[in-house]
Amino acid sequence: MIEFKLNGNKVSSAADVNTPLLWVIRDEFGFKGTKFGCGIGMCGACTVHMDGAPVRTCSFPLLAAANKNITTIEGLEGKHPLQKTWIEEQVPQCGYCQSGQIMQAATLLANNPSPSDQEIVDHMSGNLCRCMAYVRIKSAIKNAADVMSADVQTFDPRASTQQS
């Protein structure tokens, strides 16, 4: 049994230790927001947070998640400023990559509350969008950074994984 926290809750899985974490999250625990894109960790659709850092779950074995804190898009509970600015900016077209985009962007803002345009581009460069919504993605990230800097209590994406 591999034990870890998933969206703040202690869970365990008896899946083969080499099973990609993506399939455990989706098939065993039912969190379908984390998407399968390429299967080799190159597109970013499967991005979640592990102890606050972005991880590509399609190529990340279950064994490596042991005793870690994993947060999926569902773990943000629709409360992250990025999720709100994503809607305001009408970022998604097909929407397939958006949970991975948001999870990647959340780690940027957690570590850099006021990123430059180039820092956003650099940090997000590994997350691909077939609809080419990159201009709106960058705008939503900048707007979320503004919202977060104006808010005294900045949202910490790791908070949902720190529950007992």
Side-chain angles (χ1 to χ4, degrees):
M1 291 295 259
I2 302 297
E3 296 181 354
F4 56 98
K5 282 189 180 178
L6 182 58
N7 295 332
N9 298 308
K10 290 182 181 180
V11 297
S12 61
S13 174
D16 182 278
V17 296
N18 293 313
T19 301
L21 182 60
L22 169 69
W23 301 119
V24 174
I25 289 170
R26 289 180 56 82
D27 297 343
E28 192 170 332
F29 296 107
F31 293 108
K32 303 293 187 182
T34 305
K35 305 291 189 212
F36 176 80
C38 65
I40 57 173
M42 297 299 292
C43 75
C46 66
T47 303
V48 301
H49 296 164
M50 182 177 71
D51 294 337
V55 170
R56 307 294 172 88
T57 59
C58 70
S59 58
F60 191 85
L62 173 61
L63 179 61
N67 303 312
K68 302 291 185 184
N69 294 314
I70 308 295
T71 304
T72 68
I73 190 73
E74 292 89 351
L76 298 184
E77 300 175 341
K79 297 177 184 175
H80 196 287
L82 282 165
Q83 292 171 296
K84 295 174 184 180
T85 60
W86 235 251
I87 293 166
E88 291 167 5
E89 296 284 327
Q90 299 179 351
V91 172
Q93 286 184 34
C94 80
Y96 197 82
C97 69
Q98 298 309 304
S99 61
Q101 297 277 359
I102 290 170
M103 297 305 282
Q104 184 74 17
T107 62
L108 170 63
L109 296 181
N111 296 309
N112 182 353
S114 185
S116 68
D117 286 352
Q118 190 59 52
E119 289 169 326
I120 292 171
V121 169
D122 291 347
H123 188 81
M124 299 299 294
S125 66
N127 286 69
L128 305 179
C129 175
R130 291 182 61 181
C131 300
M132 304 301 287
Y134 299 114
V135 171
R136 289 193 307 261
I137 289 168
K138 184 168 59 170
S139 178
I141 294 169
K142 290 200 70 80
N143 287 339
D146 291 343
V147 167
M148 291 169 69
S149 68
D151 187 0
V152 175
Q153 296 178 348
T154 302
F155 184 87
D156 183 352
R158 296 166 284 211
S160 63
T161 61
Q162 295 171 350
Q163 299 172 7
S164 299

